[in-house]
């Protein structure tokens, strides 16, 4: 071994969902939006100017922040944008979770929380969900160095009501509480209404799901000006210019097209509703889905077997071989056409089992 | 003060060069390229597909890595790409500089090295340049936890020969040596020829200068497969998808247009040559510039006064009010037309002084 290798940081990297390069696939495994982004996005990409490309982008991300400020009726100084919500969350962990006390998050949740805590040497305690995969609120009223949870949770798709979130925020005035709302636009009630009343809540959202822009890497968080100023300072100590020109333009154009945003998420909610019924008829059940995905188990056939059979048929869903959830599938809500292919395959497959 | 504020990470952020929003400015202050990027870049932006925008980008950045691999004749597994060279450098610091021994870098250099070291709690020792702003090679042959320096250096624009770099790399087999070559394409000899012979050298470059793509945030590093594997693991523990679709496409298109790349950098080198002569006639002198910028002092008038006068005339150059360099200006090489405006103003201004 080379001696310099001794000083290399050791990590256990997160493994994201498979991204097949073939297009001949029904891709329901990474919670992408099956619909294209607003047509305004392609329009702005067509008009990127030479000057904008050759110059450093606006480090204040003014155009995108302004659009978000208008959309969500908050002040620009309450908004921080980053390279996807992963960037926003990692920066928030770095900025706010510097206590010696453990941070708290659910045991079944977004896998990156643990990766970041390990990476940044933040002490943490995973709080077990109950037998119905619900967060146990009382678990979040103990001494802690910060709290983070997704709402709706992933991979369960379960939404907790706003009152549940508010009680945790109100009960932990000495901690920053991060509510990861990647999937909130599919029927949930956002904690954004809390940011003017509580200075310790940070609401994180993304353009990757409801705005069909996973390919552009845009996330943001909204909180009190004090929180946003702190995270901006830390971010500027790493890299002042993370949001490239096209992301800023595409993001702003997308936010300004509210009609299309509503149309798309409504379509997904309708397809989701039908999916619950159709899958139930095939013997699947799971919690009421409130994200753009379902979390289901079959009453007879093991999830891992179904996962493999689907994969062979070029239908990709997500399977986590992890304690408690290893008999569940996470299925992204696709277009009605994609879902029909899923139902048709499952119907045939389950008949033979 | 709110109690959660106690756990907020305290930082002293880097202050980048001013980015005036007015276009009525001769902007020679942030070392951007005055020429547009390759026309192939705008072409690919026009053709971004809906599927590419709504899906997560290729986390392996295959298309861009492949283009760089062909351009620089290295294997794909020797290349790591990031959100500008700041992202690449920050990730490299995080990955390779984990020793208890101090890392070494020049005292007059890229200001972010110190910011990252502070942020990541890496012990460091700044090594003073000599009286001619040259690196003193013997300073880099002491016990250390890593070495980083720009070549050409900034803000001095001084290039050290390849033999100088190789001796440092060869003399420090137990450390990772990072050569920050943001400005190498303007006449310097790159350390890329060392990466197959030394497994401890990491060469960092950027698309922001010679490829006119500061607005797209693309940087990369090339080194031994062992180095690249290590930095990729750390990066994937923060955010697997940092490079958005348009950056990958724009970057690849730009790399494949070698003719334009050569044309542009040659123009800048010619303008730079003329600038040295013209500024000398006006009473300026400085080290031989090998980046896309000059580092000059006037034989009579203090740099800060010239800086202020230029700024009032809407000509932006960079001035650092820092020990040793506070009588120097850093002037980006612009188009011949921009430079004529600079000379014309200086001629009038200096007459009256």
């Amino acid at each position: 071994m080379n001696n310099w290798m001794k000083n290399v940081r050791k990590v256990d990297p997160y493994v994201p969902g498979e991204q097949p390069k073939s297009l001949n696939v029904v891709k329901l495994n990474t919670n992408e939006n099956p619909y294209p982004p607003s047509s305004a996005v392609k329009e702005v990409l067509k008009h990127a100017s030479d000057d904008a490309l050759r110059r450093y982008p606006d480090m204040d991300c003014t155009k995108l922040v302004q659009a978000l400020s208008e959309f969500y009726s908050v002040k620009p100084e309450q908004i921080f944008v980053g390279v996807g919500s992963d960037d926003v969350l990692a920066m928030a962990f770095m900025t706010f979770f510097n206590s010696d006390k453990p941070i708290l998050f659910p045991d079944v949740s977004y896998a990156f929380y643990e990766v970041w805590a390990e990476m940044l040497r933040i002490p943490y305690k995973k709080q077990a969900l109950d037998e119905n995969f619900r967060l146990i609120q009382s678990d979040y009223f103990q001494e802690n160095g910060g709290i983070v949870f997704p709402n709706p949770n992933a991979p369960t798709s379960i939404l907790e009501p706003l009152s549940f979130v508010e009680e945790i925020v109100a009960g932990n005035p000495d901690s920053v509480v991060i509510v990861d709302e990647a999937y909130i636009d599919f029927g949930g009630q956002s904690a954004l209404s809390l940011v003017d009343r509580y200075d310790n809540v940070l609401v994180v959202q993304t353009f990757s799901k409801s705005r069909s822009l996973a390919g552009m890497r845009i996330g943001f968080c909204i909180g009190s000006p004090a929180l946003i100023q702190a995270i901006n300072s830390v971010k500027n100590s790493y890299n002042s210019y993370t949001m490239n020109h096209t992301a800023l333009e595409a993001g702003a154009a997308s936010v300004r097209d509210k009609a299309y945003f509503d149309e798309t998420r409504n379509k997904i909610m309708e397809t989701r509703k039908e999916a619950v019924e159709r899958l139930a008829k095939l013997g699947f059940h799971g919690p009421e889905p409130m994200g753009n995905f379902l979390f289901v188990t079959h009453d007879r056939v093991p999830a891992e077997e179904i996962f493999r059979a689907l994969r062979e048929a070029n239908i990709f869903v997500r399977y986590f071989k992890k304690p408690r959830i290893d008999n569940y599938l996470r299925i992204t809500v696709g277009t009605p056409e994609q879902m029909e292919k899923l139902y048709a395959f499952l119907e045939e497959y389950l008949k033979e089992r």
Side-chain angles (χ1 to χ4, degrees), chain A:
Chain A
M1 191 173 91
N2 314 80
N3 265 316
W4 57 259
M5 283 291 262
K6 284 186 205 144
N7 294 324
V8 167
R9 191 181 282 256
K10 302 298 176 299
V11 293
D12 197 7
Y14 172 76
V15 181
E18 201 174 352
Q19 295 286 12
K21 276 170 190 164
S22 159
L23 291 172
N24 189 21
V25 151
V26 178
K27 195 167 175 304
L28 306 173
N29 68 330
T30 51
N31 294 350
E32 287 145 340
N33 195 310
Y35 300 106
S38 158
S39 58
V41 169
K42 280 170 78 166
E43 212 42 50
V44 294
L45 293 181
K46 274 184 198 148
H47 295 99
S49 82
D50 282 332
D51 273 345
L53 293 170
R54 71 173 182 82
R55 287 192 179 180
Y56 283 91
D58 171 20
M59 67 177 276
D60 300 322
C61 306
T62 312
K63 198 162 186 172
L64 179 54
V65 165
Q66 194 58 42
L68 288 166
S69 159
E70 287 164 24
F71 191 93
Y72 291 106
S73 303
V74 295
K75 298 189 207 94
E77 57 267 34
Q78 293 182 273
I79 303 171
F80 170 82
V81 300
V83 182
S85 58
D86 282 348
D87 182 38
V88 175
L89 285 162
M91 285 292 154
F93 271 53
M94 211 178 289
T95 307
F96 303 114
F97 294 167
N98 290 294
S99 164
D100 294 331
K101 298 173 198 159
I103 62 166
L104 308 176
F105 52 84
D107 66 336
V108 174
S109 187
Y110 187 36
F112 247 119
Y113 300 156
E114 190 167 357
V115 175
W116 290 319
E118 287 284 346
M119 179 75 172
L120 297 166
R121 294 167 196 162
I122 300 167
Y124 64 95
K125 228 166 104 179
K126 293 193 274 187
Q127 306 295 67
L129 300 182
D130 74 12
E131 68 283 7
N132 299 315
F133 299 116
R134 306 294 296 244
L135 275 83
I136 302 170
Q137 200 190 39
S138 58
D139 285 351
Y140 298 88
F141 292 108
Q142 57 185 273
E143 227 190 17
N144 66 73
I147 292 171
V148 56
F149 58 90
N151 195 38
N153 196 5
T156 65
S157 214
I158 296 175
L159 177 81
E160 299 297 344
L162 181 57
S163 58
F164 177 100
V165 176
E166 178 164 4
E167 282 152 25
I168 290 179
V169 171
N172 288 280
D174 293 342
S175 298
V176 174
V177 178
I178 301 177
V179 191
D180 179 358
E181 295 190 337
Y183 303 105
I184 199 70
D185 292 328
F186 303 102
Q189 199 182 354
S190 171
L192 279 173
S193 61
L194 306 179
V195 299
D196 284 329
R197 284 185 289 128
Y198 299 94
D199 68 0
N200 64 320
V201 60
L202 194 73
V203 179
V204 179
Q205 296 193 6
T206 176
F207 282 58
S208 298
K209 317 294 181 187
S210 53
R211 297 185 189 277
S212 308
L213 279 175
M216 288 307 291
R217 316 307 306 122
I218 309 172
F220 62 97
C221 62
I222 294 180
S224 60
L227 286 175
I228 298 305
Q229 194 181 5
I231 194 171
N232 257 318
S233 293
V234 170
K235 182 259 184 181
N236 285 329
S237 296
Y238 268 95
N239 190 350
S240 309
Y241 301 102
T242 54
M243 300 297 291
N244 67 22
H245 172 69
T246 47
L248 295 174
E249 290 288 328
S254 151
V255 172
R256 296 200 189 281
D257 191 353
K258 185 170 185 327
Y260 182 77
F261 169 71
D262 287 335
E263 182 193 322
T264 306
R265 59 201 192 107
N266 285 333
K267 279 201 282 192
I268 289 169
M269 288 187 271
E270 278 166 38
T271 309
R272 180 178 69 192
K273 195 173 162 218
E274 187 179 356
V276 171
E277 292 159 18
R278 297 282 294 271
L279 289 170
K281 282 186 196 149
L282 293 164
F284 288 95
H285 67 274
E288 187 195 350
M290 289 297 284
N292 67 337
F293 57 96
L294 302 101
F295 187 62
V296 291
T297 186
H298 193 263
D299 54 23
R300 193 166 45 81
V301 186
E304 190 170 5
E305 289 179 31
I306 304 173
F307 167 73
R308 285 186 201 287
L310 284 166
R311 205 179 172 299
E312 267 181 45
N314 265 337
I315 300 174
F316 284 58
V317 301
R318 193 89 198 259
Y319 172 72
F320 298 94
K321 205 175 175 64
K322 283 189 183 175
R324 301 191 64 188
I325 59 172
D326 59 358
N327 200 25
Y328 279 80
L329 298 174
R330 192 193 73 184
I331 305 175
T332 305
V333 177
T335 60
E337 297 69 33
Q338 291 177 309
M339 300 308 277
E340 288 300 338
K341 285 185 191 164
L342 172 74
Y343 309 143
F345 174 84
L346 287 173
E347 196 167 350
E348 284 306 304
Y349 169 75
L350 292 166
K351 242 187 243 167
E352 292 160 18
R353 291 283 318 225

